[in-house]
Amino acid sequence: MTNVPETGRTSRVQIRLVMVQVLVLSMFITLGGRLWYLQIRNGDEYYHEAKSNHVQRVVRPAVRGQILDARGVALADNETRLVVSASRTALMKMQDKGKGVMTRLADVLDMTPKAVMDKVRLCDSKTPKPCWNGSPYQPIPVTLEATTQQALTIRERPEDFPGITAEPTAVRRYPAPGGARTSQVLGYLSPVTDDEIQKAKDTDSPHLRSDQVGRSGIERTYDRQLRGKAMVTSYEVDNLGRVMHQTQSDNGVPGSTLVTSIDARVQAVAEYELQAAMKTVRHEVDNITNRPYEADSGAVVVMEAKTGRVVAMASQPDYDPNAWVGGINAKDYANLTSKGSNYPLLNRAIQGQAPAGSIFKVVSASAAVRAGYDFDGKYNCSASYDMGGRSFANFESKGHGPITLGEALKFSCNTVFYALGHKEWKKDGGLTPKKDAHDWFYRTAREFGLGAETHIDLPNEVTGRIPDRQWKQNFWKANKGAWCKQGKKGGTYVEQIAYESCLEGNQLKAYDSINFAIGQGDVLVTPIQMATAYAAISNGGTLYNPTVGKAVISANGKHVEMIQPQSHGKLPIGAKTIADLDRGLRMVVEPGGTAAWRFTGWPMDKIPMHAKTGTAQVYGKQTTSWLATYTKDFVIVMTISQGGTGSGASGPAVRNLYNAIYGLDMEGKQDLKKALLLQPEAKLPKIRPDGSIDAPEIRPYVPPSPEVPEPPALAGPPAARPARHD
């Protein structure tokens, strides 16, 4: 064996190490050079290529949930239509801003080019309808009613219609079952705005640009539940638009179904009867102004007395909510927002304010008892009440002598309540109120829920007004400057009132309290407030929050969230006073009562009826009709602005409503098969295994035959005439 010298072996190892080092160094130099080439030498080129690869999101909006009545009948649902939409972003990138495309599109859709261009222009303060008030980055519907041939033409010629799509889409529909529009209760939809998208960005219910959102009614209140969550799929695409791969997918959630407490059958009757009552009184002459009643607006509320759930709510004038679907046209928008149409978008059941008139007397009677007066004591019902040289007359200047508070409700005697209001004003110090003034009448009104929201689940409810001492002071401060400028001593009536208001408009005067006691003066109430108060009398004293929503059901039918009745207070009177009021209100429909002539033949033994009529006076207008009624299960309150007396204008409609609910004819005979709702609907609609709802059929309302003409009202002496006032 030959021995290798140690020095030779070491030299070879060193040579190998050097070669390895050189190889490694060469690799690093090559890699570094390549990185320099890619990042420095050609960095901009590759940056722009990488930038052109981007993520595209494909959004498929969730189908909006249905709105059903208490039995499952659809009040709002969806239907599939062929929708033609335009991408404003794509059109604006074209050299002619898309005019050529829109002109060709107009020809296909049998529209004018201007009509198409108006559809895709953006709304602002100067742009009239139609215009687009949603996000400019989402597809803008041009028509929701394209024919199959029109859609095929657009899809088969994409080169002629860049930025235009035509595809089947679920579109909102308001079917008006049985003729029940339910307009102001349902509300309407319109596209989401960029501002709304930003505000909802970090919430648990963010908006997508494709969303339609509720703008009024329960479409707005329950928008989050009805809207669901859109399906969003994200793709990475290259600069040629080719999909490289899917990066993310969110399956979305369909909108939930909202079951309401509305009964479409009762709603149809309420709408018809309110409109019919208004048409009828327009043919009657107002004895004060000697011209026909204008009956310019009205409202009716049907409510469950024991829960506050709304069974029907109608407001006139009304509108067709389908007008908003897909964007409203200029003519319809003008009709809905103009003074000439008297603003149909207003829900006068929760937004219409007027003096309460005599239906307010349940509050005054309660206040009197709280102040120490005996409900069954005797109070003088004179033909007029004199105070400081001024005379305040009974309606029709008729007196009844000494009567109880129950009888004061029966005859609607103003002078009894004038005297009580005046006495309490003096006890509280009159023009110089005591520090411990009780203000029983004003306190009781507020504790009946007046002058405040009822917390109904509908947006934009108004509060009405209770003109107590604090309100007088605040109102005077706000208006003193204008009054002092307008006022003139010894001038016209308006100028004289302004003059007096300038000097002492902050004082609660005797005539303020006298008028307040009969629901007049500066008192303002809404139909929903009065329905809530009368429901509390019926149910034993609980003031419920009125509700339209009853339950939210998930799209698959597996999850049900009940919307339970909630209370916002109790009446400020005991069980005895409530029973006394109940007794007095029953007398109103019994012989001699102001509503008796409208409830002739009513089966009081089977279905006890209670009512209060009211005729409110408004300066510069004809009288406003009020009628508040209840049974053990239901409350109905109706009002007609400039419609005359309570029993005269509203009486027939309210009677017909009750007849339909209980299956009665005008003689009081009951046919249970014809009854719409003998008692409130307790169960929810039946849900099928697939989540769909088993809905019954509904027939249009057939109004009863016209009443037999009444005998002449002027026959006989005044005392023998039917008591029809208020």
Side-chain angles (χ1 to χ4, degrees):
M1 173 180 269
T2 303
N3 294 325
V4 179
E6 188 68 28
T7 55
R9 190 179 297 114
T10 301
S11 177
R12 286 196 295 273
V13 171
Q14 289 176 341
I15 291 170
R16 291 191 186 105
L17 287 174
V18 170
M19 291 176 65
V20 170
Q21 288 173 351
V22 170
L23 180 61
V24 171
L25 181 61
S26 298
M27 291 174 64
F28 273 109
I29 291 172
T30 302
L31 183 59
R34 183 61 178 166
L35 288 173
W36 176 87
Y37 178 81
L38 292 174
Q39 295 184 8
I40 307 300
R41 176 73 169 72
N42 285 1
D44 287 344
E45 178 184 347
Y46 287 108
Y47 169 76
H48 289 296
E49 286 188 19
K51 190 177 179 181
S52 66
N53 294 338
H54 57 278
V55 174
Q56 282 278 17
R57 294 200 313 166
V58 177
V59 179
R60 182 173 298 172
V63 175
R64 193 170 179 87
Q66 297 184 87
I67 300 175
L68 309 178
D69 86 338
R71 302 190 309 142
V73 176
L75 301 174
D77 57 12
N78 307 286
E79 62 180 347
T80 301
R81 297 188 191 176
L82 283 172
V83 178
V84 175
S85 302
S87 169
R88 180 178 171 82
T89 304
L91 294 175
M92 292 301 103
K93 288 180 179 179
M94 299 175 187
Q95 191 171 1
D96 64 350
K97 304 299 183 184
K99 290 183 179 179
V101 173
M102 287 187 280
T103 299
R104 291 191 292 273
L105 181 62
D107 186 56
V108 171
L109 298 178
D110 295 325
M111 298 171 66
T112 64
K114 182 181 183 303
V116 174
M117 293 175 191
D118 286 350
K119 285 274 190 177
V120 299
R121 64 184 175 179
L122 301 181
C123 291
D124 58 30
S125 59
K126 298 180 180 179
T127 304
K129 296 282 184 176
C131 57
W132 179 250
N133 67 344
S135 170
Y137 302 105
Q138 71 185 76
I140 301 174
V142 176
T143 180
L144 304 180
E145 299 175 346
T147 65
T148 303
Q149 185 57 51
Q150 289 170 337
L152 286 174
T153 300
I154 294 167
R155 294 177 71 95
E156 289 173 353
R157 294 160 49 194
E159 69 282 358
D160 289 336
F161 301 102
I164 306 298
T165 58
E167 56 189 10
T169 305
V171 175
R172 202 57 161 172
R173 182 180 73 125
Y174 301 95
R181 283 183 169 185
T182 329
S183 312
Q184 295 91 346
V185 175
L186 291 172
Y188 58 91
L189 307 176
S190 72
V192 67
T193 64
D194 284 345
D195 185 52
E196 289 169 329
I197 291 172
Q198 289 302 315
K199 287 181 179 179
K201 187 190 239 180
D202 299 322
T203 69
D204 61 353
S205 182
H207 287 299
L208 295 173
R209 296 193 183 278
S210 58
D211 280 343
Q212 295 272 319
V213 296
R215 293 297 175 201
S216 69
I218 50 180
E219 288 277 29
R220 175 175 168 181
T221 303
Y222 296 97
D223 180 72
R224 182 175 59 83
Q225 295 92 329
L226 291 165
R227 183 164 24 102
K229 186 178 179 183
M231 177 179 179
V232 182
T233 306
S234 299
Y235 299 95
E236 185 173 340
V237 298
D238 62 17
N239 61 329
L240 297 178
R242 295 173 298 196
V243 176
M244 300 173 67
H245 58 85
Q246 181 177 318
T247 61
Q248 190 178 357
S249 180
D250 186 341
N251 292 329
V253 180
S256 296
T257 295
L258 175 68
V259 178
T260 70
S261 55
I262 297 291
D263 187 299
R265 301 167 302 174
V266 180
Q267 178 71 28
V269 179
E271 291 183 17
Y272 178 90
E273 290 296 341
L274 174 61
Q275 192 172 35
M278 293 170 63
K279 287 180 179 179
T280 298
V281 297
R282 287 178 189 144
H283 295 288
E284 298 178 2
V285 176
D286 176 10
N287 292 330
I288 299 174
T289 63
N290 292 318
R291 54 185 173 83
Y293 286 108
E294 293 188 18
D296 55 343
S297 62
V300 60
V301 176
V302 183
M303 179 188 291
E304 294 179 10
K306 295 182 177 66
T307 64
R309 288 191 170 119
V310 176
V311 176
M313 178 182 285
S315 176
Q316 282 291 331
D318 68 350
Y319 66 97
D320 182 1
N322 288 297
W324 291 90
V325 176
I328 192 166
N329 62 49
K331 182 179 179 181
D332 287 342
Y333 186 79
N335 287 337
L336 294 179
T337 57
S338 69
K339 183 178 180 180
S341 62
N342 204 12
Y343 311 109
L345 295 179
L346 287 177
N347 183 350
R348 286 172 166 82
I350 66 170
Q351 295 173 299
Q353 303 179 103
S358 292
I359 65 169
F360 187 85
K361 287 173 182 172
V362 293
V363 175
S364 297
S366 300
V369 172
R370 296 181 76 192
Y373 298 91
D374 184 358
F375 192 89
D376 290 319
K378 294 294 183 177
Y379 306 91
N380 186 30
C381 179
S382 56
S384 64
Y385 181 78
D386 296 324
M387 186 275 299
R390 296 180 64 175
S391 180
F392 295 82
N394 246 346
F395 199 94
E396 296 183 346
S397 300
K398 184 178 180 180
H400 293 274
I403 59 175
T404 66
L405 288 180
E407 290 171 324
L409 294 175
K410 173 181 180 177
F411 300 123
S412 201
C413 182
N414 289 345
T415 52
V416 166
F417 295 100
Y418 287 150
L420 291 171
H422 191 199
K423 287 178 183 178
E424 285 306 299
W425 176 80
K426 289 191 287 188
K427 283 184 181 179
D428 287 330
L431 293 176
T432 55
K434 300 176 182 177
K435 290 184 179 180
D436 60 347
H438 291 293
D439 285 331
W440 286 118
F441 280 71
Y442 299 97
R443 284 176 56 188
T444 301
R446 291 198 178 279
E447 290 167 9
F448 261 69
L450 306 181
E453 293 181 3
T454 63
H455 309 293
I456 189 172
D457 55 345
L458 291 173
N460 303 318
E461 179 188 7
V462 299
T463 62
R465 183 168 68 204
I466 296 301
D468 55 16
R469 297 181 192 276
Q470 186 59 54
W471 178 85
K472 290 282 285 187
Q473 183 68 25
N474 295 341
F475 192 67
W476 179 70
K477 286 181 178 179
N479 294 279
K480 181 182 178 182
W483 285 334
C484 293
K485 185 177 180 180
Q486 181 186 12
K488 180 181 178 181
K489 186 176 182 180
T492 64
Y493 175 77
V494 173
E495 289 172 337
Q496 181 64 29
I497 292 294
Y499 173 77
E500 295 174 3
S501 298
C502 167
L503 297 178
E504 49 196 32
N506 59 331
Q507 294 181 347
L508 186 69
K509 298 187 176 182
Y511 63 77
D512 290 321
S513 290
I514 287 174
N515 279 326
F516 184 85
I518 63 164
Q520 289 284 172
D522 292 313
V523 175
L524 290 177
V525 300
T526 65
I528 195 67
Q529 288 175 332
M530 298 313 298
T532 302
Y534 274 80
I537 298 172
S538 174
N539 68 38
T542 302
L543 292 162
Y544 281 104
N545 299 352
T547 52
V548 177
K550 190 174 183 181
V552 177
I553 303 175
S554 61
N556 59 13
K558 295 180 179 179
H559 179 69
V560 178
E561 178 186 350
M562 292 296 299
I563 301 170
Q564 299 295 346
Q566 294 187 7
S567 165
H568 62 265
K570 290 274 189 180
L571 293 182
I573 50 178
K576 182 182 182 304
T577 303
I578 292 175
D580 287 337
L581 289 175
D582 187 81
R583 176 164 48 93
L585 294 172
R586 175 167 174 152
M587 289 193 292
V588 174
V589 296
E590 293 177 337
T594 58
W597 68 302
R598 290 305 191 189
F599 286 90
T600 301
W602 184 265
M604 293 291 289
D605 55 336
K606 293 182 180 179
I607 310 169
M609 175 63 66
H610 307 77
K612 186 68 197 80
T613 56
T615 304
Q617 295 175 323
V618 181
Y619 175 72
K621 293 186 177 182
Q622 295 167 311
T623 54
T624 292
S625 168
W626 283 97
L627 182 57
T629 62
Y630 66 84
T631 61
K632 68 181 181 65
D633 290 314
F634 300 106
V635 173
I636 299 179
V637 172
M638 179 177 284
T639 182
I640 299 176
S641 171
Q642 302 197 87
T645 65
S647 60
S650 300
V654 171
R655 174 67 188 265
N656 287 340
L657 252 170
Y658 276 117
N659 284 350
I661 289 172
Y662 288 111
L664 296 166
D665 62 19
M666 291 305 294
E667 295 178 354
K669 296 178 181 178
Q670 189 173 35
D671 184 345
L672 296 180
K673 293 181 180 179
K674 293 182 179 180
L676 299 182
L677 199 64
L678 286 172
Q679 57 187 17
E681 189 71 49
K683 299 179 180 178
L684 289 178
K686 183 179 179 181
I687 305 171
R688 300 190 185 100
D690 63 354
S692 61
I693 305 293
D694 185 10
E697 292 184 7
I698 178 171
R699 297 178 180 177
Y701 170 58
V702 178
S705 301
E707 290 186 55
V708 177
E710 303 168 34
L714 297 179
R721 298 178 195 170
R724 303 178 186 184
H725 65 273
D726 268 354

